[in-house]
Amino acid sequence: METLAAGSGSAVMIIDLQVDYVSGGDLIEGQTSPLLQEFPDLPTNVAALLARAREKNIPVIHIRERDCHNKSVWLPWWDKLHPRSGPNCGLGVEAVAEPWSKEEGEEAVFIKHTYDAFQSGEVSIHLQEHLKSLGVKRIYMAGCLTKACVMFTANSAFTLGYEVVVVGDCCADRTRQHHQAALDLYDGYHIRVDNVSSPQLFDDATS
């Protein structure tokens, strides 16, 4: 992968905060999503993050997922690991944003086909070009699941040369334990974990 983090600006990246995975049925495991039960403050926190970013003219980028057999090459192995989910798990999602996390104005939306926004074929090429056009060096990430799509994307962003800040109270997972374990494992190693409740969150960010 080409290293593209050559600028000095910042961006906020919203990952998979879509009805399919949050307030709607969780198609990955064929169950009602527990995210808002475990993380009832998620909508308020994400809305606050977006409001602060937009107020500071920090670009916002929206990532959502729509899996398909010909592009989501990981699905056969997932089916073997999770046979009770059925052979069509993850398929049929609409990739519609939650109302409190949706794009405004000309904010860019990218639809990926796997966990990692930087490893999703042509979509990732366009994403990287967009980040380069904005002169982005630091990415503030929020979304779900913390241990999956957020961290996969964060890890790739780090290897591409970006400074990565995961906004912990704007992320969610199936359990609090999974969420906190993922943050604790990487915080201070190759990412930084911060919170939207911190007044200093964007103090050293540049638009």
Side-chain angles (χ1 to χ4, degrees):
M1 291 184 292
E2 181 186 358
T3 300
L4 295 173
S8 60
S10 300
V12 168
M13 184 175 287
I14 304 296
I15 301 170
D16 291 1
L17 292 179
Q18 57 197 72
V19 173
D20 308 287
Y21 303 141
V22 182
S23 64
D26 188 333
L27 302 182
I28 292 296
E29 293 183 357
Q31 62 187 29
T32 300
S33 172
L35 292 179
L36 292 183
Q37 297 172 28
E38 290 284 337
F39 299 86
D41 295 331
L42 181 66
T44 300
N45 290 345
V46 171
L49 175 68
L50 290 171
R52 289 177 65 180
R54 289 161 178 158
E55 182 181 8
K56 289 180 172 290
N57 294 316
I58 296 173
V60 179
I61 299 163
H62 301 263
I63 309 294
R64 297 201 277 274
E65 182 158 348
R66 184 184 295 126
D67 301 325
C68 55
H69 283 302
N70 63 325
K71 294 181 179 180
S72 303
V73 296
W74 51 273
L75 277 173
W77 179 236
W78 174 272
D79 291 341
K80 290 180 181 179
L81 291 173
H82 304 272
R84 288 182 296 177
S85 297
N88 295 313
C89 69
L91 302 178
V93 300
E94 298 296 329
V96 174
E98 292 286 356
W100 38 267
S101 67
K102 66 181 181 181
E103 65 276 7
E104 290 187 359
E106 298 182 357
E107 293 173 354
V109 179
F110 297 90
I111 306 297
K112 60 184 175 63
H113 310 291
T114 187
Y115 286 13
D116 187 345
F118 291 102
Q119 291 284 356
S120 194
E122 289 187 14
V123 174
S124 301
I125 294 172
H126 297 316
L127 170 61
Q128 293 176 31
E129 290 173 345
H130 184 63
L131 290 167
K132 188 174 183 179
S133 74
L134 295 173
V136 172
K137 176 67 174 179
R138 176 177 296 174
I139 305 175
Y140 294 84
M141 295 188 181
C144 70
L145 299 173
T146 313
K147 68 174 177 283
C149 295
V150 174
M151 284 303 174
F152 271 67
T153 301
N155 292 341
S156 280
F158 164 77
T159 64
L160 287 166
Y162 293 99
E163 299 174 356
V164 181
V165 179
V166 173
V167 188
D169 57 359
C170 292
C171 296
D173 210 306
R174 304 204 190 284
T175 68
R176 284 277 178 182
Q177 291 83 354
H178 287 180
H179 167 77
Q180 198 59 50
L183 296 180
D184 290 344
L185 181 62
Y186 294 118
D187 184 21
Y189 188 63
H190 64 284
I191 67 169
R192 189 180 85 201
V193 175
D194 209 331
N195 289 295
V196 73
S197 57
S198 169
Q200 292 79 36
L201 175 63
F202 288 140
D203 275 3
D204 54 353
T206 56
S207 58

